[in-house]
C-alpha cells in the first residue's frame, strides 16, 4: 500500500489500470441473506478511499437490483471507478430461482442496453460473458461483444468460467482483458490450463470467491446451521454436512500461517491469491465481496502481506483435500468442459 491506498496493476495487456484488489458487490443485493443498504454504501465509499477501483456486479444479481443499487455510487465517482458487469444468465419471469444461460447475439444486445440503463452510464468499462452457452459458437458471441466496443457501449471485454480453448478462440476474435474464475486456496483447477493460456495471451485473471464464499475466513462452519434460510451457500456441497466438517479442519493450516503474520484467516487467503500474480507471472486481481467497511479495510490490508516460500508450500496441499464440489451442478462452471 502507498499513501494508505493499495497499489494498481494493468488488467492484462488490453485492459485498464485497476487496483490490485477489487470489490465483489453481489452480496449487497443478492445471495448472502439480508443486507444493510447504508452499510453497503459506506463499504463502497471506504473501498474507494482505500484505493479500490474495480467494482464487480452482474445483471443477474438480484435480477438487476445490484446494478441499480450501485448506480448512484458509480455516477458520483465515474472517473475514479472501473465498472465491471456481466450478461448471460437469463431469469425466467415465471421462476426467479432459475438461470438460463444465453449467449446469442440478440440477447447480448438486449442485456447490454438493460445494464446501461440500470447503471445509468454511457459505457461499461468491462463487460463479461458470465457463463458459456456451448450451443452458441463463442466466436459469434464475442463478435457481438466486439461490436459493442466499436459502438462505444463497452470499453473492454471479459469472460467468466471459460476453458483455455474457449479463451483462445474468443481472443482471436477480439482482445480479452480478463478472465474471471473461482480461484482460492480451496479452488485451484484453473491453474492447469486457463492460467497458462491467460499468461500466454496477456489476459488478467480476476479471482472471484477468493475467500471461499466466506468459509476461509472462519465466519461460518456449517451453512445449514450458521446461515439464514435464503443464503445460497446452503445449496453448495462444500459448506454443509460432512463436507463442511471435513473442510473446517483444513483451516488449521491457514490459522498457523495467520498467527505468524498476526493476521486473520481471510487476510492469509487473500495474500495467497494476490501472490499468484508473481508465481504465475500474470495480473491476478481478487475481488472479495463484503458489505462492511471494517471488512474491506481488513481485506485491502492483505495486499501488504507476503507469504514465505515455506508458508506457500504449507498451504499448497489444501485444495486437493477439499470435500465437495463448488456448485451442486458443476455444469454451471468450466470444469466439465476443460
Amino acid at each position: 500500500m502507498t499513501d494508505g491506498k493499495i497499489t494498481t496493476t494493468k488488467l492484462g495487456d488490453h485492459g485498464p489500470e485497476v487496483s490490485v484488489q477489487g470489490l465483489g458487490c453481489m452480496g449487497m443485493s443478492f445471495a448472502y441473506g439480508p443486507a444493510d443498504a447504508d452499510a453497503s454504501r459506506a463499504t463502497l465509499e471506504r473501498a474507494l478511499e482505500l484505493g479500490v477501483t474495480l467494482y464487480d456486479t452482474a445483471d443477474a444479481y438480484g435480477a438487476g437490483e445490484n446494478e441499480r443499487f450501485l448506480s448512484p455510487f458509480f455516477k458520483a465517482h465515474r472517473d475514479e471507478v472501473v465498472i465491471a458487469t456481466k450478461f448471460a444468465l437469463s431469469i425466467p419471469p415465471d421462476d426467479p430461482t432459475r438461470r438460463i444461460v444465453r449467449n446469442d447475439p440478440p440477447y447480448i444486445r438486449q442485456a447490454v442496453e438493460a445494464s446501461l440503463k440500470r447503471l445509468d452510464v454511457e459505457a461499461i468499462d468491462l463487460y463479461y460473458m458470465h457463463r458459456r452457452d456451448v450451443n452458441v459458437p463463442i466466436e459469434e458471441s464475442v463478435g457481438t461483444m466486439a461490436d459493442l466496443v466499436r459502438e462505444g457501449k463497452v470499453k473492454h471485454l471479459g469472460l467468466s468460467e471459460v476453458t483455455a480453448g474457449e479463451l483462445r478462440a474468443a481472443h482471436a476474435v477480439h482482445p480479452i482483458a480478463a478472465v474471471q474464475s473461482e480461484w482460492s486456496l480451496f479452488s485451484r483447477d484453473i491453474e492447469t490450463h486457463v492460467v497458462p493460456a491467460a499468461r500466454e495471451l496477456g489476459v488478467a485473471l480476476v479471482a472471484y470467491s477468493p475467500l471461499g464464499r466466506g468459509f476461509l475466513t472462519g465466519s461460518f462452519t456449517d451453512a445449514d446451521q450458521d446461515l439464514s434460510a435464503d443464503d445460497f451457500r446452503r445449496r453448495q456441497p462444500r459448506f454443509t454436512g460432512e463436507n463442511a466438517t471435513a473442510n473446517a479442519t483444513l483451516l488449521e493450516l491457514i490459522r498457523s500461517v495467520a498467527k505468524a503474520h498476526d493476521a486473520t484467516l481471510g487476510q492469509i487467503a487473500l495474500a495467497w491469491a494476490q501472490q499468484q500474480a508473481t508465481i504465475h507471472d500474470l495480473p491476478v486481481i481478487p475481488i472479495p465481496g463484503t458489505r462492511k467497511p471494517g471488512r474491506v479495510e481488513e481485506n485491502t490490508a492483505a495486499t501488504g502481506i507476503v507469504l514465505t516460500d515455506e508458508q506457500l508450500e504449507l498451504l499448497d496441499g489444501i485444495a486437493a483435500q477439499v470435500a465437495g464440489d463448488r456448485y451442486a451442478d458443476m455444469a454451471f462452471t468450466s470444469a466439465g468442459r476443460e
Side-chain angles (χ1 to χ4, degrees):
M1 300 181 77
T2 58
D3 301 324
K5 293 189 174 185
I6 62 174
T7 56
T8 62
T9 187
K10 202 163 186 300
L11 199 68
D13 292 349
H14 307 281
E17 191 82 9
V18 297
S19 51
V20 294
Q21 184 183 112
L23 181 64
C25 301
M26 178 179 77
M28 295 179 180
S29 308
F30 172 72
Y32 293 139
D36 181 323
D38 289 339
S40 292
R41 281 189 280 268
T43 299
L44 293 167
E45 295 289 350
R46 185 64 180 132
L48 188 61
E49 290 172 357
L50 291 165
V52 175
T53 61
L54 178 62
Y55 294 81
D56 186 88
T57 182
D59 59 5
Y61 299 163
E65 284 306 313
N66 198 237
E67 290 178 327
R68 291 188 189 95
F69 174 78
L70 295 168
S71 176
F73 171 74
F74 289 156
K75 288 189 70 178
H77 303 286
R78 188 64 191 96
D79 295 336
E80 303 169 80
V81 300
V82 174
I83 302 171
T85 192
K86 315 177 194 73
F87 75 89
L89 300 182
S90 175
I91 304 172
D94 59 338
D95 186 358
T97 64
R98 287 185 64 212
R99 300 289 185 272
I100 299 172
V101 180
R102 290 189 60 181
N103 293 171
D104 54 285
Y107 181 77
I108 295 172
R109 288 196 164 276
Q110 173 190 328
V112 75
E113 295 297 341
S115 285
L116 286 167
K117 184 176 181 180
R118 285 188 294 263
L119 292 165
D120 196 15
V121 295
E122 292 184 359
I124 294 163
D125 298 315
L126 177 60
Y127 199 43
Y128 286 103
M129 177 193 294
H130 203 164
R131 288 295 187 273
R132 169 93 170 94
D133 177 1
V134 296
N135 297 308
V136 179
I138 198 164
E139 295 85 355
E140 187 176 322
S141 303
V142 176
T144 300
M145 295 168 72
D147 287 341
L148 300 180
V149 176
R150 286 187 280 272
E151 293 164 17
K153 295 175 181 178
V154 169
K155 295 181 182 179
H156 305 281
L157 303 185
L159 304 170
S160 181
E161 289 284 354
V162 293
T163 67
E166 291 164 350
L167 172 58
R168 287 192 174 92
H171 195 77
V173 175
H174 187 279
I176 301 299
V179 167
Q180 185 174 141
S181 289
E182 186 165 354
W183 199 6
S184 73
L185 283 167
F186 268 22
S187 300
R188 298 181 57 181
D189 53 288
I190 64 167
E191 293 174 28
T192 305
H193 300 291
V194 176
V195 170
R199 180 176 61 245
E200 169 194 327
L201 298 171
V203 176
L205 243 299
V206 175
Y208 78 80
S209 297
L211 296 173
R213 303 193 184 280
F215 195 87
L216 287 166
T217 69
S219 60
F220 73 98
T221 55
D222 188 309
D224 281 339
Q225 297 178 25
D226 302 335
L227 304 178
S228 61
D230 57 348
D231 194 307
F232 93 125
R233 288 172 289 186
R234 293 177 62 151
R235 301 192 299 274
Q236 292 187 297
R238 290 186 170 173
F239 306 138
T240 59
E242 293 180 356
N243 287 346
T245 301
N247 292 335
T249 65
L250 300 176
L251 300 185
E252 289 307 312
L253 287 173
I254 307 171
R255 194 167 279 113
S256 67
V257 176
K259 186 176 181 180
H261 285 272
D262 193 21
T264 65
L265 292 174
Q267 286 178 323
I268 297 305
L270 286 173
W272 179 89
Q274 303 278 176
Q275 222 156 318
Q276 300 312 303
T278 301
I279 292 169
H280 293 279
D281 190 28
L282 81 169
V284 177
I285 301 93
I287 50 168
T290 185
R291 305 178 290 198
K292 299 177 181 178
R295 190 69 77 182
V296 84
E297 292 169 2
E298 176 186 325
N299 291 347
T300 53
T303 63
I305 297 173
V306 178
L307 305 178
T308 66
D309 289 343
E310 291 77 15
Q311 289 167 344
L312 290 167
E313 186 176 352
L314 184 68
L315 299 171
D316 195 52
I318 289 177
Q321 300 177 64
V322 173
D325 286 331
R326 293 193 280 137
Y327 292 91
D329 180 5
M330 286 297 286
F332 194 63
T333 75
S334 61
R337 302 192 307 274
E338 192 63 78

